[in-house]
Amino acid sequence: MNNPSSGNPSARADIAFAAAAAMVLAAYNNLVAAQPWHRRWYPAVNACAAAAALAAAAASGLTATDLGLHPDQLRPGLRLGSAAATPVVTAFALAALTPAARPLLNDQRVASLTNRQLAYQVLLRIPVGTVAWEEIAFRGVLQAALRRVLAEPAATAVASATFGIWHIRPTAEALAANRLARTRGARITAVTAVAAGTAAAGALLSTLRGRSGSLAAPVLLHLAANCTGPLASALARTLSATGRGPNRPRTPPGPGRNAGRTRARFRAGG
């Protein structure tokens, strides 16, 4: 951390850049991302935003090492990120395969997707439009900018709080889509809880970034959480619809078995 002095023009510029970055990010996902054109061109717009953020960071004097993008930092980032992501992927898989846990994965936003739309989500929209953009913005540019003017714990706290604010609008939309928290008080409580939770998640991602020196570590964990979740939700719904799983009751021999096969053929469209 630098020790900025109010009489130092360079230090004042660093403070201004850090403050502007925090304010822009706090507003972006709650205002700009709510516009129809942004929803339509989500990956492309956010990719451009990421490029603009990196250009602004470079113009402010931040280096590739500051941003966690130096090639020498990649290998330790991949190692730590893989270790952090593995339990997340495992937990989602177990939840999808366990009938009692499947209701926890229910998400109407995923249920309404075709297989092609789901593939678009997990192969393009989430990796490019969400994970890459958010990690560059928060664990890359914002965290590096804040570390120039604040001590490490304070920089992490501010970046994490901004990350929590970033998720206010998406959380409110998810609650509405799944018909949860229908009263105003319940919605406020739920959104506040989720914002606090995502702030804590942001702190964890910042810790991975700090320990590895690379954006690769938080990117891998973020990908595991955001991409495995929809896939697990779709798998859980499919398994529940087909009656598969360890607790599936056996159909006794005779007419009941044939009736079950008839229903299965009907569900499959043939």
Side-chain angles (χ1 to χ4, degrees), residues 33-47:
Q35 304 305 313
W37 56 266
H38 184 276
R39 295 175 188 271
R40 181 177 181 182
W41 302 104
Y42 183 87
V45 172
N46 284 354

Side-chain angles (χ1 to χ4, degrees), residues 210-230:
R211 288 186 178 180
S212 67
S214 172
L215 275 187
V219 162
L220 287 180
L221 178 56
H222 204 157
L223 277 174
N226 284 34
C227 290
T228 311

Side-chain angles (χ1 to χ4, degrees), residues 52-130:
L54 289 174
S60 78
L62 292 171
T63 66
T65 300
D66 295 330
L67 298 169
L69 295 173
H70 196 281
D72 291 344
Q73 301 163 312
L74 180 60
R75 184 170 294 180
L78 291 174
R79 282 199 301 266
L80 184 58
S82 298
T86 299
V88 174
V89 175
T90 302
F92 274 121
L94 290 175
L97 295 173
T98 305
R102 288 175 190 161
L104 299 175
L105 298 174
N106 185 43
D107 189 335
Q108 292 304 312
R109 296 171 300 173
V110 176
S112 64
L113 299 176
T114 65
N115 288 340
R116 185 173 183 175
Q117 290 170 332
L118 179 62
Y120 162 74
Q121 291 287 328
V122 299
L123 295 177
L124 179 61
R125 191 180 193 276
I126 293 173
V128 176
T130 299

Side-chain angles (χ1 to χ4, degrees), residues 6-25:
S6 59
N8 185 334
S10 177
R12 289 200 301 270
D14 290 345
I15 293 171
F17 180 77
M23 289 187 290
V24 168
L25 290 176

